[in-house]
């Protein structure tokens, strides 16, 4: 592995048979997350492909010339020509390998793969998921001098890192940008000494053996595991939804309802959360339209009666969104009546989608006790039914899912673990 500056780009990269170039920056958490993977892979592929690093801040002109806009960015070159796709952000080991393999003949790849020696590392506690619940558990465990590793399939922060503004986290008078709040939580836990393995692929979890396999080759073992993997909102799948998430489309009324003061709102869904959240949203919204795919709401009767008698709320039945589009400050939602096929465009200031959340539990097998919605059951110390396995945050069976409640769960689990390990 070699560090170069811009003047060496031609001789070291373009004139090499094959090279991978890492544009990195300082104070860049995803660059830190990449560094050990890059070094590790250089040992495997380094005889065939040159692994080169370049400090982006000091080589800005070259970065601009190559169109590198964020750190880290990995570029792959073969005979002086850029090949394979660029990788940026929370770069996974498996994505780098895919690109490296695409540059080499198949027999060479097979030879390299046969040289991979599985690694084993051991900790007191593994935390799966680095959202507010996992980060808080990590902080408390670390402060109790318990050797802890935080493993996340993405970069640290969880839902908060993509939340526009958080105005209900105590201790801050002004609303905080979600990414800053999660960055500060993550830095606090990291500075304490918790080990991070982030933007990794989790290929296997054995809760009973308390082992997690990451990136197919590294087995991480521990005495205890804290599951803090949160939830994933169900998406409608309509075009435009992903692009407008956080830019007019929201999945959280408590979080974004207050920005809808005297505004026109569309809610997609008709179950309990859609109906209850709609009722809540009318504290702010002037007018609210519920779009529901069935011919009647499926929420409980009491909640239904409330919204149906609310003069601000109207319901469009038998309809599903077909696309979402931004038009200036407004969001256009095209809906289609599933019976008549008639299409209609709704213009609003914000769209809230409540068609359910999915707890992220698919990796944990069938021994873990779940409630009927698939959330993990815990006792008051956050213990699950499997000895040594705790769960915290949005992934557990509970009534209210907020940053503060996830943080509280993480605190409780860590304190219970510290007590057990005394
Ligand atoms: C759009 C939106 C806005 C919100 N705004 C607010 C707000 O303003 N105020 C508020 O209090 N609450 C808000 N919430 C709710 C709040 O974000 C959550 O309650 C909180 O983030 C839960 O924390 P968590 O640690 O349990 O899970 P998450 O924040 O969901 O973090 C889970 C982490 O686990 C990781 N993960 C997932 N699967 C795996 C796996 N198999 N292995 C390892 N890691 C995995 C994920 O990558 C993620 O980093 C909002 C939620 C959403 C969706």
């Amino acid at each position: 592995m070699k560090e170069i500056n811009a003047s060496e780009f031609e001789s070291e990269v373009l004139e090499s048979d094959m090279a991978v170039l890492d544009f990195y920056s300082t104070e860049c958490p995803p660059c830190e997350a990449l560094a050990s993977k890059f070094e590790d892979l250089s040992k495997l592929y380094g005889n065939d492909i040159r692994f080169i690093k370049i400090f982006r801040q000091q080589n800005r002109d070259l970065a601009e010339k190559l169109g590198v806009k964020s750190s880290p960015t990995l570029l792959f070159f073969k005979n002086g020509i850029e090949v394979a796709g660029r990788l940026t952000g929370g770069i996974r080991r498996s994505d780098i390998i895919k690109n490296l393999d695409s540059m080499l003949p198949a027999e060479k790849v097979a030879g390299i793969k046969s040289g991979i020696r599985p690694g084993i590392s051991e900790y007191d506690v593994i935390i799966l998921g680095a959202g507010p619940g996992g980060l808080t558990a990590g902080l408390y465990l670390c402060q109790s001098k318990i050797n802890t590793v935080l493993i996340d399939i993405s970069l640290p922060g969880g839902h908060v890192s993509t939340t526009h503004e958080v105005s209900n986290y105590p201790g801050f008078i002004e609303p905080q940008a979600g990414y800053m709040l999660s960055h500060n939580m993550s830095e606090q836990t990291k500075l304490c000494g918790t080990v991070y393995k982030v933007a990794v692929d989790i290929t296997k979890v054995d809760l009973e053996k308390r082992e997690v396999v990451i990136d197919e080759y590294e087995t991480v073992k521990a005495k205890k595991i804290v599951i803090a993997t949160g939830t994933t909102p169900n998406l409608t799948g309509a075009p435009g939804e992903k692009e407008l998430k956080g830019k007019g489309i929201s999945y959280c009324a408590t979080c974004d309802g207050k920005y809808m003061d005297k505004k026109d709102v569309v809610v997609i869904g008709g179950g309990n959360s859609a109906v209850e959240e709609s009722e809540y949203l009318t504290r702010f919204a002037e007018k609210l339209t519920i779009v529901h795919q069935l011919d009647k709401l499926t929420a409980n009767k009491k909640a239904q009666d409330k919204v149906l008698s609310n003069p601000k709320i109207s319901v469009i039945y038998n309809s599903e969104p077909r696309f979402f589009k931004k038009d200036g400050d407004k969001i256009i939602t095209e809906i289609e009546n599933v019976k008549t096929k008639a299409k209609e465009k709704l213009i609003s200031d914000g769209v809230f989608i409540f068609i359910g959340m999915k707890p992220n539990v698919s990796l944990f097998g069938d021994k873990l006790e779940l409630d009927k919605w698939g959330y993990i059951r815990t006792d008051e110390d956050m213990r699950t039914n499997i000895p040594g396995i705790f769960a915290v945050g949005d992934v557990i069976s509970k009534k209210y899912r907020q940053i503060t409640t996830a943080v509280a769960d993480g605190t409780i689990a860590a304190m219970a673990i510290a007590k057990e390990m005394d």
Side-chain angles (χ1 to χ4, degrees), residues 127-135 151-169 200 202 205 228-233 245-246 249-252 254-256 258-259 357 360-364 392-396 398 400-407 409:
I127 301 172
L128 289 173
L135 289 169
I151 302 176
D152 200 303
I153 52 173
S154 187
L155 291 170
H159 281 317
V160 185
S161 54
T162 54
T163 301
H164 170 58
E165 267 188 353
V166 176
S167 57
N168 50 13
Y169 193 73
V200 295
I202 299 189
V205 178
T229 47
T231 56
T232 306
K245 182 183 166 199
I249 293 186
S250 170
Y251 300 84
C252 177
T254 328
C255 322
D256 298 324
K258 53 194 151 306
Y259 305 111
M357 301 289 281
N360 296 321
V361 293
S362 59
L363 278 173
F364 305 132
V392 303
D394 281 9
V395 76
I396 70 167
K398 62 177 177 181
Y400 301 113
R401 295 188 171 83
Q402 285 286 280
I403 305 169
T404 45
T405 58
V407 160
D409 295 346

Side-chain angles (χ1 to χ4, degrees), residues 123-296:
Y123 296 86
D124 291 325
V125 181
I126 294 169
I127 301 172
L128 289 173
L135 289 169
T136 308
L139 177 68
Y140 272 75
L141 288 166
C142 175
Q143 289 188 344
S144 300
K145 306 240 175 295
I146 291 172
N147 190 16
T148 303
V149 60
L150 254 168
I151 302 176
D152 200 303
I153 52 173
S154 187
L155 291 170
H159 281 317
V160 185
S161 54
T162 54
T163 301
H164 170 58
E165 267 188 353
V166 176
S167 57
N168 50 13
Y169 193 73
F172 297 97
I173 296 162
E174 295 296 327
Q176 295 295 297
Y179 76 90
M180 269 324 286
L181 182 60
S182 61
H183 173 76
N184 289 343
M185 282 186 187
S186 173
E187 286 300 295
Q188 192 181 7
T189 300
K190 196 191 288 168
L191 275 178
C192 175
T194 302
V195 175
Y196 280 43
K197 291 181 188 285
V198 296
V200 295
D201 288 311
I202 299 189
T203 35
K204 196 172 156 209
V205 178
D206 188 328
L207 293 179
E208 279 159 307
K209 286 192 186 158
R210 295 189 284 280
E211 287 180 5
V212 175
V213 181
I214 59 176
D215 293 330
E216 276 177 12
Y217 81 110
E218 184 184 356
T219 302
V220 187
K221 298 180 176 209
K223 297 176 186 124
K224 317 240 179 239
I225 294 180
V226 179
I227 299 171
T229 47
T231 56
T232 306
N234 289 329
L235 306 182
T236 65
E241 179 179 4
K242 279 191 188 150
E243 294 75 9
L244 294 179
K245 182 183 166 199
K247 295 174 190 144
I249 293 186
S250 170
Y251 300 84
C252 177
T254 328
C255 322
D256 298 324
K258 53 194 151 306
Y259 305 111
M260 293 294 124
D261 210 19
K262 304 204 169 43
K263 300 272 165 88
D264 204 332
V265 168
V266 167
V267 168
I268 311 289
N272 274 324
S273 46
V275 167
E276 281 163 13
E277 300 297 292
S278 293
E279 173 67 18
Y280 170 78
L281 282 167
T282 55
R283 289 184 193 185
F284 314 97
E286 185 112 318
K287 178 171 170 270
L288 187 145
T289 309
I290 295 176
V291 177
H292 183 41
Q293 61 180 174
L294 303 177
D295 59 4
K296 49 178 165 313

Side-chain angles (χ1 to χ4, degrees), residues 13-60:
V13 177
L14 296 183
E15 287 170 17
S16 298
D17 288 347
M18 284 178 273
V20 48
L21 181 62
D22 171 14
F23 272 93
Y24 73 95
S25 301
T26 46
E27 292 175 34
C28 158
C31 302
E32 287 168 31
L34 173 65
S36 60
K37 295 174 203 168
F38 196 71
E39 189 177 345
D40 195 36
L41 289 172
S42 76
K43 290 176 193 151
L44 278 176
Y45 288 83
N47 287 336
D48 302 287
I49 299 174
R50 304 199 66 202
F51 278 65
I52 296 173
K53 287 176 82 94
I54 185 161
F55 185 33
R56 184 170 152 228
Q57 280 124 309
Q58 272 177 6
N59 296 281
R60 233 170 244 181

